[in-house]
Amino acid sequence: MDGQRFSLLHCLLIHGFLSALLVTIGVSQSDKKSYVIYMGNPPKVGTATASLHNSMLQDVLGSESATKSVLCSYKRSFNGFVAELTEEEARKMAGTNGVVSVFPNEKRILHTTRSWDFMGFSQQVQRATSESDVIIGVLDTGIWPESQSFNDEGLSPPPDKWKGICQDANNITCNNKIIGARYYKSDGLFGSNDIISPRDSEGHGTHTASTAAGRLVNRANLFGLGAGTARGGVPSARIAVYKICWSDGCSDADILAAFDDAIADGVDIISLSVGSATPKDYFRDSIAIGAFHAMRNGILTVTSAGNQGPRRATITNFSPWTLSVAASTIDRKFFTGVKLGNNVVYEGVSINTFDLKNETYPMIYGGDAPNPIGNYTSSSSRNCLEGSLDPNLVKGKIVLCDRFVSGRGPLIAGAVGALLRDNSPKDVAFSFVLPASHLDLVDGSKIFVYINSTSNATATIFKSNEVNDTRAPYVASFSSRGPNPVTPEILKPDLSAPGVDIVAAWSLASPVSQNRGDNRWVPFNIISGTSMACPHVSAAAAYIKSFHPTWSPSAIKSSLITTASPMSSGMNSDAEFAYGSGHLNPIKAINPGLIYDSSEVDYINFLCGQGYDTRFLGQVTRDNATCSAGTNGTVLSDLNYPSFAVFTSSSTTVRRVFNRTVTNVGSPMATYRARVSFPTRTARVRVNPNVLSFTSVGQKLSFQVIIEGTMDAFMVSGSLVWDDGAHKVRSPIVVFASIS
């Protein structure tokens, strides 16, 4: 236990020693950078892991003192370490026996009151008595434990399976709700606002943890906006905190260290609202690697799809053993009105809690106020970038800007407010550091004309108001899209969940807009992102786990995918590449009728089809994992996944056979009939057999889906539904001809 408690301190001390050593021996720090050396499952017998890592590094570097280059070792749930290496040393290490992959230790980026009710998941839903035995591991920016969302009133002590710790008890207190808390910073470099403990200085981790498993808090709101009862999806579930993200991002080394501990600590679900900027191969991706070992230990990892939408193939968390979540809207939007001196009112989008009390202020166009200090021109000041505006011209005025910015530029120049005009989507509202409204180009141009039509242009910005959005749910423009950039045959994202304008708990160390100069400190905040969608699904997975504690990660994933509510391609032009199987429906997911289950062996076969060989996979698993001689790309289609995707490359002719097996988890005696919807005349989908008759719970039956014909569009999609009258087990079918 002591070794676990001081693992971070050990990493920091090693890093400090290494820095001094490099200066002493004259090695330039710029020549070396941090690399992750991943070695698969821990050795069953043999050399102690730390000794092995030091020995390997000594062999590569050829120096006794160079063994101090090891920054951290992973040894609880998988094998590997982090070391400072040159590019040449990294190449040598990659060729060392037992090494699966070597990749740079890069930084990842961080990718609710009404949302649960919007999905029909009320406070009165059926609850399992074992909900309090379910532990959600949240890998994020930490937690603000004093939040009302994390009180432990009425909760018993943690379940016996829990093996975790509460690190740095002087700065954070765990209870029967937050049962564990750890933090990781392998490079030992902290920002001025970082809190060196599991305590959250950003707000993001507090928000996601409370969305998943927060207790009920009445009258939660952000200065009156979004008022209601804040709650997580599983209020009785336990939270284990793993702080991996800091002011400079979330490093691969720390993500893997958190997975290593979370798996061994005994969590049931891992929730991870973090991702990379670009897609990576499965075994050069810290999240895919950690999630693979979590899957081997019966733990489902739920990930955010990413915030690089709406461009295609921008999803960065897409491994088949994880559940990838897109962000969709709920039936609430926030609008912010702007009233000009001519009494014309325009409506923009923002979350504006500031109240100017209807007082009007002079207006100025940012392009007319370049800052002579720094030699800024109107081409910079029109965008209201920091330092670009002349305080002598802007102070006390409302500034019209030609770009969507944080508002810090106008703020530090002394502006009272800002109007931001551009052509970006207006489907999500953001908080700004000063009164602001985000307008489209049409209204923005009219305001520009007004400013230039009078020498006394004035305006006021109203506090935001809530409006019912009857079109919801639809996928947010920022949500990353599929198809899967590495394995197009695996449909990603898997499903969508609420991720726009979500109210949840917040850190009192982080202001509302998360910008310097913002002095609003609140217990609840409203933010958006696939980061907010992810914990909704993590909670739903925990909800299923409470009713079905023996279900595998893939069984839980299948139940969520096949019970999702269908969404409209008319509202989402990217269709399944935007929303996967549809919108999260937690109530139906606990009784899906049939599940598409997969084991570790199935994923190994999939990886064989992906091109990995027996030697490589043997190193990953440290067992007898093998690829058969006849393995080829068709195995990709045969992974027992609850969706069907065909990538035809440049060919217009399609023929693909999918082999699937479903397990009966509904009524013992049940007959399911296949219903196919596939709206094209040039291709045909057949199911053989098209009737499945079960005689017992747990019985497995197999079938084939045959797709053949020609493509008459870039993308054609439909669905297969197995229907027994009580359950509708729905799987999306997508055929497409290009990735981007």
Side-chain angles (χ1 to χ4, degrees):
M1 179 65 73
D2 288 343
Q4 298 171 20
R5 187 180 303 275
F6 296 108
S7 59
L8 174 68
L9 178 60
H10 175 71
C11 289
L12 300 185
L13 288 174
I14 288 177
H15 188 270
F17 180 91
L18 171 65
S19 299
L21 177 66
L22 290 173
V23 171
T24 301
I25 64 177
V27 176
S28 170
Q29 181 68 49
S30 62
D31 292 338
K32 289 180 177 284
K33 62 181 179 180
S34 180
Y35 285 87
V36 175
I37 296 90
Y38 168 60
M39 302 174 64
N41 234 37
K44 295 181 174 62
V45 293
T47 309
T49 306
S51 300
L52 173 63
H53 298 164
N54 284 329
S55 175
M56 290 173 62
L57 200 57
Q58 183 178 339
D59 289 343
V60 168
L61 302 185
S63 168
E64 185 71 32
S65 61
T67 59
K68 299 301 181 181
S69 290
V70 177
L71 300 184
C72 273
S73 288
Y74 311 123
K75 48 195 174 186
R76 300 185 70 195
S77 305
F78 48 86
N79 189 10
F81 60 102
V82 182
E84 296 277 358
L85 302 170
T86 65
E87 287 188 18
E88 177 59 30
E89 290 165 350
R91 282 192 290 269
K92 289 177 64 178
M93 182 62 73
T96 302
N97 185 41
V99 172
V100 175
S101 60
V102 176
F103 52 93
N105 175 24
E106 297 178 349
K107 298 289 185 183
R108 303 299 177 104
I109 52 179
L110 292 165
H111 281 188
T112 100
T113 52
R114 189 173 177 78
S115 54
W116 291 108
D117 288 326
F118 173 67
M119 293 185 290
F121 194 70
S122 71
Q123 296 181 35
Q124 289 74 41
V125 296
Q126 180 186 1
R127 298 281 180 186
T129 56
S130 61
E131 183 176 297
S132 62
D133 291 335
V134 180
I135 304 169
I136 302 177
V138 182
L139 280 60
D140 213 296
T141 64
I143 201 163
W144 193 261
E146 291 81 11
S147 169
Q148 297 175 68
S149 294
F150 307 124
N151 80 80
D152 66 349
E153 183 179 351
L155 289 177
S156 60
D160 292 339
K161 65 184 178 182
W162 176 242
K163 308 299 180 188
I165 62 170
C166 194
Q167 188 180 5
D168 195 4
N170 292 327
N171 191 270
I172 190 169
T173 302
C174 294
N175 57 16
N176 289 330
K177 181 63 178 178
I178 304 171
I179 61 173
R182 299 177 184 266
Y183 65 104
Y184 309 86
K185 196 70 167 72
S186 59
D187 63 10
L189 304 175
F190 297 94
S192 59
N193 294 322
D194 286 331
I195 300 175
I196 308 175
S197 83
R199 184 174 290 277
D200 183 8
S201 59
E202 301 286 329
H204 191 276
T206 300
H207 199 281
T208 57
S210 64
T211 298
R215 308 302 296 276
L216 274 65
V217 181
N218 295 320
R219 296 184 294 278
N221 65 88
L222 176 63
F223 294 105
L225 298 177
T229 299
R231 61 188 173 95
V234 277
S236 297
R238 317 304 178 113
I239 297 171
V241 177
Y242 300 87
K243 183 175 178 179
I244 57 170
C245 298
W246 306 78
S247 57
D248 62 348
C250 325
S251 77
D252 287 323
D254 298 336
I255 290 170
L256 284 169
F259 267 109
D260 190 30
D261 281 335
I263 294 167
D265 286 348
V267 305
D268 296 295
I269 305 293
I270 289 176
S271 185
L272 184 56
S273 295
V274 172
S276 63
T278 56
K280 300 182 184 301
D281 179 81
Y282 296 127
F283 290 104
R284 296 180 64 85
D285 182 329
S286 60
I287 295 174
I289 290 171
F292 181 82
H293 290 278
M295 174 273 297
R296 296 190 81 207
N297 286 272
I299 303 164
L300 174 63
T301 301
V302 182
T303 60
S304 49
N307 296 337
Q308 283 79 47
R311 291 181 296 111
R312 285 202 176 107
T314 50
I315 186 169
T316 56
N317 289 321
F318 46 76
S319 63
W321 45 84
T322 61
L323 188 59
S324 305
V325 187
S328 51
T329 61
I330 60 174
D331 59 347
R332 176 182 62 202
K333 294 192 72 172
F334 295 98
F335 290 100
T336 301
V338 178
K339 184 177 181 180
L340 305 184
N342 60 5
N343 290 321
V344 177
V345 177
Y346 297 99
E347 196 170 59
V349 176
S350 70
I351 300 171
N352 180 42
T353 68
F354 299 102
D355 188 357
L356 297 182
K357 302 184 184 302
N358 292 325
E359 185 174 346
T360 60
Y361 293 87
M363 298 188 73
I364 190 169
Y365 171 53
D368 293 334
N371 191 353
I373 300 176
N375 295 319
Y376 287 99
T377 65
S378 61
S379 61
S380 295
S381 64
R382 65 190 285 267
N383 293 320
C384 299
L385 303 177
E386 287 191 37
S388 68
L389 295 169
D390 186 348
N392 295 319
L393 298 176
V394 168
K395 186 176 181 180
K397 298 178 181 178
I398 293 174
V399 186
L400 176 64
C401 307
D402 287 342
R403 185 173 176 180
F404 181 82
V405 290
S406 69
R408 268 194 53 79
L411 178 75
I412 62 178
V416 172
L419 305 180
L420 316 173
R421 61 168 183 168
D422 66 8
N423 60 359
S424 63
K426 307 297 186 292
D427 55 352
V428 57
F430 293 96
S431 291
F432 297 90
V433 72
L434 79 174
S437 186
H438 183 201
L439 300 140
D440 61 33
L441 286 178
V442 173
D443 288 348
S445 296
K446 292 177 181 177
I447 294 173
F448 177 78
V449 170
Y450 165 72
I451 291 174
N452 287 281
S453 68
T454 175
S455 60
N456 187 33
T458 60
T460 190
I461 302 173
F462 298 126
K463 185 177 178 179
S464 295
N465 64 296
E466 301 176 31
V467 176
N468 184 47
D469 187 356
T470 58
R471 302 179 303 157
Y474 50 90
V475 176
S477 57
F478 62 76
S479 187
S480 290
R481 266 58 170 178
N484 185 325
V486 170
T487 314
E489 295 83 357
I490 300 297
L491 181 63
K492 292 287 179 172
D494 290 300
L495 77 172
S496 77
V500 176
D501 301 337
I502 304 301
V503 180
W506 196 247
S507 167
L508 292 181
S510 180
V512 170
S513 67
Q514 299 176 272
N515 280 299
R516 288 178 291 118
D518 189 344
N519 296 316
R520 295 170 296 169
W521 312 95
V522 294
F524 291 89
N525 203 359
I526 303 173
I527 58 175
S528 301
T530 55
S531 285
M532 286 60 257
C534 172
H536 281 89
V537 179
S538 302
Y543 183 63
I544 297 168
K545 186 79 173 178
S546 70
F547 285 92
H548 307 287
T550 63
W551 277 15
S552 69
S554 60
I556 295 173
K557 180 166 65 174
S558 171
S559 65
L560 290 164
I561 291 174
T562 61
T563 59
S565 301
M567 295 180 72
S568 168
S569 59
M571 290 291 296
N572 307 270
S573 60
D574 293 305
E576 284 79 4
F577 292 153
Y579 50 69
S581 64
H583 201 254
L584 176 67
N585 190 332
I587 293 179
K588 285 188 176 181
I590 61 170
N591 183 21
L594 303 175
I595 55 173
Y596 294 77
D597 207 354
S598 297
S599 66
E600 180 189 346
V601 172
D602 296 312
Y603 290 117
I604 293 297
N605 288 336
F606 162 81
L607 291 169
C608 293
Q610 190 69 38
Y612 297 99
D613 59 25
T614 295
R615 177 182 173 279
F616 182 94
L617 294 173
Q619 289 180 329
V620 171
T621 62
R622 301 293 167 186
D623 58 22
N624 296 322
T626 59
C627 294
S628 63
T631 299
N632 56 46
T634 60
V635 177
L636 299 176
S637 300
D638 286 344
L639 178 64
N640 205 36
Y641 213 76
S643 60
F644 306 88
V646 179
F647 174 48
T648 67
S649 187
S650 60
S651 173
T652 58
T653 302
V654 179
R655 192 178 194 283
R656 185 65 53 86
V657 178
F658 296 87
N659 295 292
R660 293 290 189 270
T661 299
V662 287
T663 304
N664 181 26
V665 294
S667 304
M669 303 290 292
T671 298
Y672 287 83
R673 289 176 170 79
R675 292 192 290 106
V676 173
S677 172
F678 199 67
T680 178
R681 296 181 178 180
T682 61
R684 179 187 177 200
V685 178
R686 292 182 291 118
V687 181
N688 183 32
N690 60 7
V691 176
L692 299 176
S693 296
F694 295 91
T695 58
S696 62
V697 173
Q699 182 182 0
K700 298 177 183 292
L701 292 177
S702 298
F703 63 93
Q704 287 186 328
V705 172
I706 303 102
I707 303 174
E708 52 191 353
T710 58
M711 289 286 290
D712 59 358
F714 153 74
M715 173 184 176
V716 180
S717 63
S719 63
L720 164 64
V721 177
W722 287 106
D723 190 345
D724 72 341
H727 306 91
K728 291 178 173 55
V729 187
R730 182 179 172 276
S731 296
I733 302 172
V734 180
V735 181
F736 60 103
S738 174
I739 292 181
S740 59

